[in-house]
């Protein structure tokens, strides 16, 4: 890459049942010219005292109102799983309002929009079945399942987030976004396999590619390096 990357404000949106914490190393691993903002949804992390949203449109609107003063320089969105849905919905709202758009959109481990919504409604599962699903998905510490008191705290949080994802529907007639888009996923992700990701190409005017990484749904959890290098490359491509 020729020269240092240009200044950028990158907003990172977390997955369901989580917070900014799994992403806390990212600012130190990305270019120092980037202002990396790790976002928390209400009811999560640093915003744990705020009422939680279970509606993606309302959560996207919350984030847009919160970050509006910070969109005063080139900026980009990256979201993983639930965070990818929220990042996409935010960009749709920005485009519909003729507001300044992100210069790049990175979506990870989230299937392309389906008019009928998600086929499975995991947020309705009984506790034992939901715990089995989450264990297979990965990303949740084992102690959450082993400690009834921890599960009692985590259960309503994850069910609300899953309801947010599983009840969202794309608006009919939403045009492709005029924003460069990259899509990421784990080659061994049994819940969001690569075939569910390829459809994103229809939702942007400039598709930068599908980036399949080694691993499952949380393919970057042990080593975010490969993903962050790809993000840096795709941001450079989007700005060229």
């Amino acid at each position: 890459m020729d020269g240092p990357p240009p200044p950028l404000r990158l907003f990172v949106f977390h997955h369901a049942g989580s917070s900014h914490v799994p992403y806390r190393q990212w600012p130190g691993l990305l270019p120092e010219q980037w202002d990396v903002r790790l976002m928390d949804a209400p009811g999560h992390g640093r915003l744990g005292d705020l009422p939680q949203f279970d509606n993606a449109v309302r959560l996207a609107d919350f984030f847009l109102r919160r970050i509006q003063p910070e969109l005063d320089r080139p900026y980009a969105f990256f979201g993983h799983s639930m965070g990818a849905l929220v990042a996409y919905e935010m960009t749709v709202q920005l485009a519909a309002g003729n507001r300044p758009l992100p210069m790049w959109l990175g979506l990870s481990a989230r299937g392309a929009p389906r008019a009928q919504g998600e086929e499975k409604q995991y947020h309705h599962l009984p506790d034992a079945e939901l715990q089995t699903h989450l264990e297979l998905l990965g990303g949740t510490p084992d102690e959450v399942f082993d400690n009834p008191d921890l599960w009692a705290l985590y259960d309503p949080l994850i069910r609300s987030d899953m309801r947010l994802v599983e009840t969202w529907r794309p608006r009919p007639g939403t045009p492709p976004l005029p924003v460069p888009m990259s899509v990421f996923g784990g080659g061994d992700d049994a819940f969001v396999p690569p075939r569910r990701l390829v459809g994103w190409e229809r939702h942007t005017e400039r598709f930068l590619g599908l980036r399949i990484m080694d691993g499952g749904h949380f393919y970057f959890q042990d080593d975010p390096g490969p993903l962050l290098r790809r993000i840096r490359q795709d941001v450079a491509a989007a700005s060229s």
Side-chain angles (χ1 to χ4, degrees), residues 4-22:
L8 175 75
R9 185 161 283 150
L10 176 65
F11 296 92
V12 178
F13 300 93
H14 63 76
H15 52 279
S18 187
S19 70
H20 73 283
V21 172

Side-chain angles (χ1 to χ4, degrees), residues 18-228:
S18 187
S19 70
H20 73 283
V21 172
Y23 308 85
R24 63 189 180 278
Q25 295 180 342
W26 286 29
L29 298 173
L30 287 166
E32 62 180 14
Q33 297 89 349
W34 291 10
D35 177 13
V36 182
R37 301 296 180 93
L38 306 180
M39 307 302 293
D40 281 315
H44 302 67
R46 294 162 298 197
L47 301 185
D49 58 336
L50 297 181
Q52 189 176 354
F53 288 108
D54 63 1
N55 179 283
V57 174
R58 291 178 57 212
L59 179 56
D61 179 68
F62 169 88
F63 277 133
L64 286 174
R65 286 185 282 107
R66 194 173 186 88
I67 70 174
Q68 184 61 44
E70 301 178 83
L71 306 184
D72 57 350
R73 62 191 288 184
Y75 73 95
F77 292 155
F78 176 89
H80 179 69
S81 198
M82 180 184 80
L85 169 60
V86 174
Y88 172 71
E89 174 64 33
M90 291 170 67
T91 311
V92 168
Q93 291 187 26
L94 287 165
N98 293 315
R99 290 182 279 177
L101 296 172
M103 55 82 62
W104 177 77
L105 178 61
L107 306 178
S108 171
R110 167 67 192 177
R114 290 170 164 167
Q116 73 277 18
E118 296 300 306
E119 295 177 345
K120 297 181 179 180
Q121 300 288 305
Y122 292 103
H123 70 276
H124 288 311
L125 289 176
D127 278 3
E129 293 179 42
L130 179 58
Q131 289 181 4
T132 298
H133 168 69
L134 295 174
E135 287 182 282
L136 293 172
L137 193 65
T140 303
D142 289 340
E143 54 265 28
V144 171
F145 306 120
D146 299 335
N147 185 320
D149 292 333
L150 276 179
W151 175 253
L153 294 173
Y154 186 73
D155 177 53
L157 180 77
I158 187 63
R159 287 185 188 277
S160 181
D161 282 353
M162 295 174 82
R163 185 183 305 115
L164 179 153
V165 172
E166 293 164 1
T167 58
W168 178 85
R169 302 289 186 274
R171 295 174 183 81
T174 299
L177 291 170
V179 175
M181 178 192 294
S182 303
V183 176
F184 304 85
D188 298 323
D189 188 341
F191 297 95
V192 189
R195 68 176 183 274
R196 283 284 288 115
L197 301 173
V198 294
W200 278 112
E201 186 172 3
R202 300 191 300 273
H203 297 275
T204 177
E205 295 176 1
R206 187 180 174 196
F207 189 62
L208 297 182
L210 174 59
R211 318 305 189 188
I212 300 301
M213 308 284 182
D214 293 336
H217 193 70
F218 293 96
Y219 58 89
F220 58 83
Q221 190 168 39
D222 294 331
D223 179 12
L227 169 62
L228 299 185

